[in-house]
Amino acid sequence: MPQLNAPETAAGQDSEPENRPGTGFSKRSLAAQAMGRIDPVTRAVVPPLHVSTTFLRDPDNAYSSGFSYARPDNATVREAESVIAMLEEAGAGAYLFGSGMAAATAVFTALEPGNHVVAPKLMYWGLRRWLREEAPRRALAVDFVDADDLGALRAAMRPGRTRLVWIETPGNPLWTITDIAAAADIAHAAGARLAVDSTAASPIHSRPLDLGADIVMHSATKILNGHSDVVAGVLAGARADAFWDRIGAIRANGGAILGPFEAYLLMRSLRTLPLRAAAQAAGALDLAERLKAHALVAGVLYPGLPDDPGHAVAARQMRGGFGYMLSIRVAGGEAAAIGTAARVRLWKRATSLGGVESLIEHRASVEGTGTPCPPDLLRLSTGIEDPADLYADLDAALRAAHAEAGRTPG
Ligand code: PLP
């Protein structure tokens, strides 16, 4: 078993050894107990929720607890961070933010004016928009490349000026795979860091830090929380260095830390993450295989399928599954795709991903002009329902939309 390298937490200051299970247990076991901390005062097995915004100063003017004010730090947030740091085996620990976007943009904000950034053409559209509209105002130069094409990635590097390579794998919403280890080599050779948006993989199926990445980011709104009731984001760092400290300072000074209630809910969800991620990835693979053979489906985009262009790399760098996200291209084009989404009964027609309830979305309608997303594409986020029910519901909707299109003149 790997030795855990979680950051020092409030609980880490417990004097009684039984207050933590220690090392030698699997991630699933440690996650199930949210690191197994026993509250030293009450001996509660569920950690208390710390809501205080301020803390008593010692008579000698020190803050011996390590806490002074809630904007820079919070004990409940630290507890949730320690679970994520354990899952990612993050040497520097983890920082939770109020959203995935707050976490991602903190990394770019930590760069210096004039720095060059390489980002993928295919990525979460909200961050692509931020990089297009906001990054130049901070004097960052951004080049967008097909990051799954390592030659293109290499060619985009400006040694000495490129300071950050950002990749997203699997990449939303086509689920393209980028070779993390190769991207890390390319970034490091040019003197840049590699950051990976691993939201669609989850820490259960991919560990970018182990493959050479410097920072891994998740929209914790997605499968980490998994119940569609918390907006959160997280960064986990390979090593504590000046850049990592600067991200921490940006969070503290800018007031971007996650609230304690959300951290508490997130920690409750993290206990079941290994089980949910395994079930959702198995469901996604099952659906991908069935939909591949469907007469009204023109294509299935899922790296778990052996003929997917990203499969070989995904099989090498992912473990235990290929994630919970897939997309289909509907025969009959945009109208048939929108018509299918309109007719599902079990799937929920809504944005976002990673929850226990399955979601379907006509993605091009959301992303608007300039999207690399084809108009016939439906994005599917697989939840924990019975995959046979999910398939039957989608099959009926595809058939009904197709029949309706046949009846519509012109
Ligand atoms: N990264 C990916 C892959 C996403 O899908 C999302 C949101 O959909 C984000 C980042 C942004 O996360 P948040 O909505 O928590 O700000």
Side-chain angles (χ1 to χ4, degrees), residues 99-102 124 168 172 197 199 217 219-222 231-232 353:
S99 70
M101 280 298 290
Y124 171 59
E168 179 180 319
N172 191 357
D197 182 341
T199 300
M217 173 260 161
S219 165
T221 316
K222 315 304 187 214
V231 174
L353 37 136

